[in-house]
């Protein structure tokens, strides 16, 4: 049945703010006009969950590399149920559960997308787990497989391991056969890291990474380092590269707020590769890489090797609480805003 013309509600950023806290307070729940007629290749989705990621806080401040035009709908990944399909849609039907990612915003009661941007929700995943699937695992896969060339049996160090990107890299690294060291700032976060497969954990608020990693690896240190934090944690990570050379230090982001400066002689002395990870831009240049990567990830999920950890869910009306949890750095894994029938969680 075709959707009637009208409106739906969405979480919207209407202005650029000086801080994340100001941006959260300025965000509004707003009525937006519904697209009345679908294009041939489009699907209309009743959104059930939208996942929050750190870049949303940066977008509110115009600090992210992608700068959407104001006003814009927040959140870049979600999940839901197909309500309507265009006459040319081949792979989905009304009632199918899907996950999706869109820089045009996903924190809304409905979205309209080309069917090519949708992926069937793997069996066994809740809507919130589906909403949190795309960005973390694709970033982790591109980092560890395409850029880090991670091999089974190698030592992998993941910093910021309690956050969404880090925790999914821990889980993915284990699925790929690595010996995984998860490093984070609290024992609570590290307990979750153990649950998703970390072989060893390090609380870097209590001890230096180099000392702890040296003990764990018997002085061999790490072949691959997944580093999304920046600042002092990056500086410490440089001292954890494998003593045998050929290590890959993956620059994933700067969630700590400080972009580090590397004394370039360290790369020469220690014989390691400094590798930039830009998943979104690279997939834009190589779409076939993205399709292959997602097919592999969906297979891993179907085999039970990947299941996003969701620490909190908030109904749409409490969207500010969800963003405040991220701003306070209290999110472990993923935090989601739920819509419609997802108000009662499947978790």
């Amino acid at each position: 049945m075709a959707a009637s013309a009208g409106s739906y509600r969405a979480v919207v950023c209407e202005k650029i703010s000086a801080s994340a806290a100001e941006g959260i307070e300025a965000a509004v729940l707003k009525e937006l006009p519904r697209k009345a007629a679908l294009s041939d290749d489009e699907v209309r989705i009743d959104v059930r969950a939208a996942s929050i990621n750190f870049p949303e806080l940066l977008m509110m401040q115009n600090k992210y590399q992608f700068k959407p035009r104001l006003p814009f709908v927040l959140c870049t990944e979600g999940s839901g149920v197909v309500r309507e399909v265009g006459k040319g849609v081949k792979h989905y039907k009304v009632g199918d559960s899907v996950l999706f990612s869109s820089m045009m915003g996903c924190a809304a009661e409905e979205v309209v997308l080309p069917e090519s941007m949708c992926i069937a929700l793997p069996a066994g995943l809740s809507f919130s787990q589906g909403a949190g699937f795309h960005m973390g695992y694709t970033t982790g896969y591109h980092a560890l497989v395409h850029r880090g060339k991670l091999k089974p049996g190698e030592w992998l160090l993941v910093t910021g391991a309690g956050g969404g990107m880090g925790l999914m890299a821990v889980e993915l690294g284990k699925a790929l056969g690595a010996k995984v060291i998860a490093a984070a700032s609290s024992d609570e976060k590290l307990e979750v890291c153990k649950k998703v497969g970390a072989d060893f954990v390090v609380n870097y608020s209590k001890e230096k990474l180099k000392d702890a990693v040296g003990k764990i690896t018997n002085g061999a240190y790490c072949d691959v380092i997944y580093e999304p934090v920046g600042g002092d944690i990056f500086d410490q990570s440089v001292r954890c590269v494998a003593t045998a050379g050929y290590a890959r230090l993956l620059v994933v982001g700067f969630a700590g707020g400080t972009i580090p400066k590397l004394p370039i002689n360290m790369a020469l002395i220690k014989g390691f590769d400094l590798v930039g990870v830009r998943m979104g831009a690279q997939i834009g240049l190589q779409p076939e890489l993205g399709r292959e990567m997602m097919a592999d990830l969906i297979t891993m999920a179907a085999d039970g090797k990947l299941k996003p950890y969701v620490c909190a869910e908030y109904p749409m009306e409490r969207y500010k609480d969800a963003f405040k949890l991220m701003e306070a750095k209290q999110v472990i894994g993923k935090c989601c805003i739920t819509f419609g029938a997802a108000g009662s969680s499947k978790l």
Side-chain angles (χ1 to χ4, degrees), residues 4-284:
S4 60
S7 62
Y8 61 92
R9 291 177 294 174
V11 182
V12 177
C13 176
E14 295 187 306
K15 66 177 185 177
I16 298 302
S17 300
S19 67
E22 288 182 19
I24 293 167
E25 290 303 320
V28 297
L29 193 59
K30 187 176 182 178
E31 293 275 343
L32 296 178
R34 175 175 290 122
K35 183 175 183 178
L38 300 182
S39 299
D40 289 353
D41 68 335
E42 288 182 331
V43 296
R44 191 188 309 272
I45 301 166
D46 286 328
V47 178
R48 292 291 179 257
S51 173
I52 293 175
N53 293 295
F54 183 70
E56 273 89 76
L57 301 183
L58 297 178
M59 288 181 192
M60 293 175 181
Q61 305 168 74
N62 202 36
K63 290 182 177 179
Y64 194 57
Q65 53 260 40
F66 174 74
K67 302 182 187 301
R69 182 180 300 176
L70 291 169
F72 60 88
V73 177
L74 288 161
C75 297
T76 55
E77 53 182 346
S79 67
V81 179
V82 174
R83 174 154 48 98
E84 183 186 1
V85 299
K87 62 183 181 181
V89 170
K90 298 178 180 178
H91 302 293
Y92 300 101
K93 64 183 185 302
V94 172
D96 285 348
S97 295
V98 295
L99 62 92
F100 47 87
S101 179
S102 171
M103 299 306 289
M104 295 301 103
C106 299
E109 291 178 310
E110 75 170 52
V111 296
V112 173
L113 296 169
E115 71 164 327
S116 61
M117 295 179 66
C118 300
I119 299 162
L121 184 70
L125 296 190
S126 71
F127 284 119
S128 287
Q129 288 170 327
F133 190 92
H134 193 281
M135 186 171 288
Y137 287 138
T138 54
T139 299
Y141 192 101
H142 182 57
L144 299 180
V145 177
H146 297 153
R147 303 294 284 144
K149 311 296 184 186
L150 181 68
K151 301 178 186 68
E154 287 191 316
W155 282 105
L156 168 66
L157 170 63
V158 178
T159 65
M165 298 294 163
L167 194 63
M168 294 168 102
V170 169
E171 190 180 12
L172 187 55
K174 189 63 179 176
L176 293 169
K179 295 177 289 188
V180 183
I181 304 171
S185 59
S186 75
D187 292 336
E188 181 185 9
K189 293 177 180 178
L190 292 173
E191 283 303 312
V192 177
C193 291
K194 292 177 186 177
K195 291 179 181 178
V196 303
D199 296 293
F200 302 92
V201 296
V202 177
N203 184 335
Y204 47 58
S205 70
K206 295 181 178 180
E207 57 184 327
K208 290 293 185 181
L209 271 177
K210 181 181 180 181
D211 296 339
V213 171
K215 291 176 185 176
I216 291 168
T217 63
N218 292 317
Y221 294 94
C222 294
D223 304 288
V224 178
I225 301 175
Y226 181 98
E227 213 300 281
V229 181
D232 177 63
I233 299 304
F234 175 88
D235 294 341
Q236 292 189 51
S237 296
V238 172
R239 288 159 176 78
C240 294
V241 298
T243 52
Y246 301 101
R248 289 83 77 196
L249 174 52
L250 307 176
V251 181
V252 182
F254 314 103
T258 301
I259 297 176
K261 295 180 180 180
L262 173 70
I264 201 65
N265 65 310
M266 294 294 287
L268 185 153
I269 293 168
K270 293 179 174 288
F272 69 90
D273 296 339
L274 184 68
V275 184
V277 177
R278 52 169 199 169
M279 184 274 296
Q282 200 62 45
I283 300 310

